[in-house]
């Protein structure tokens, strides 16, 4: 059992489908969220909101959304090659989460059409 397993089990309600544990934290993927836990705390972000992953400021990897940085992961917490492979695998989970979001969204409801009013008979 890893150093962060108990905390991860407390916070994450969904099944963890992928995880990477390093010396400074753990990254976990559920069907809906990306989680990062370390000794300093934890954070999560919905998979469907992730737009891009790039090099962040300092020694971090930035998980970016439409409005900016969603999460920063310190490079020193993981072996670089393992982190790179894990983040590459994240792409398919993000695509799947976005696909599930659009499939589970209810179809737009059409506005009711006005019923024609009967015209009064002229005598």
């Amino acid at each position: 059992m890893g150093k962060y397993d108990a905390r991860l089990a407390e916070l994450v309600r969904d099944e963890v489908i992928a995880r990477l544990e390093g010396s400074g934290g753990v990254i976990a993927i559920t069907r809906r969220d990306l989680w990062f836990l370390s000794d300093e705390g934890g954070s999560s972000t919905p998979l469907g909101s992730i737009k891009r992953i790039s090099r962040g400021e300092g020694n971090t990897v930035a998980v970016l959304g439409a409005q900016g940085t969603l999460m920063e992961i310190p490079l020193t917490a993981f072996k670089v090659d393992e982190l790179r492979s894990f983040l590459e695998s994240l792409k398919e989970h993000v695509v799947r989460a976005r696909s599930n979001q659009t499939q589970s969204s209810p179809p737009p409801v059409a506005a009711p059409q006005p019923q024609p009013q009967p015209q009064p008979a002229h005598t």
Side-chain angles (χ1 to χ4, degrees):
M1 220 171 151
K3 176 179 175 181
Y4 300 97
D5 285 346
R7 236 172 94 219
L8 191 61
E10 287 174 15
L11 295 173
V12 178
R13 299 294 174 220
D14 291 338
E15 174 189 3
V16 173
I17 54 178
R19 62 177 276 148
L20 175 65
E21 186 162 346
S23 60
V26 64
I27 304 172
I29 301 171
T30 67
R31 298 213 186 284
R32 291 182 285 219
D33 300 305
L34 173 67
W35 288 82
F36 171 65
L37 300 176
S38 69
D39 292 336
E40 286 78 41
S43 61
S44 69
T45 191
L47 291 174
S49 66
I50 297 172
K51 301 292 182 202
R52 186 167 75 102
I53 297 176
S54 68
R55 185 80 185 237
E57 293 183 22
N59 255 352
T60 65
V61 171
V63 178
L64 305 169
Q67 303 300 320
T69 303
L70 301 170
M71 175 186 301
E72 289 188 334
I73 301 168
L75 286 171
T76 57
F78 303 95
K79 293 181 180 175
V80 175
D81 292 339
E82 290 177 358
L83 180 60
R84 181 178 292 124
S85 295
F86 186 83
L87 294 175
E88 281 293 321
S89 75
L90 178 63
K91 289 178 185 178
E92 71 183 65
H93 298 291
V94 169
V95 169
R96 190 175 303 128
R98 285 189 188 151
S99 173
N100 289 341
Q101 282 178 340
T102 57
Q103 288 175 3
S104 64
S105 297
V109 177
Q113 297 297 318
Q115 297 296 324
Q117 298 294 322
Q119 299 295 326
H122 290 276
T123 54

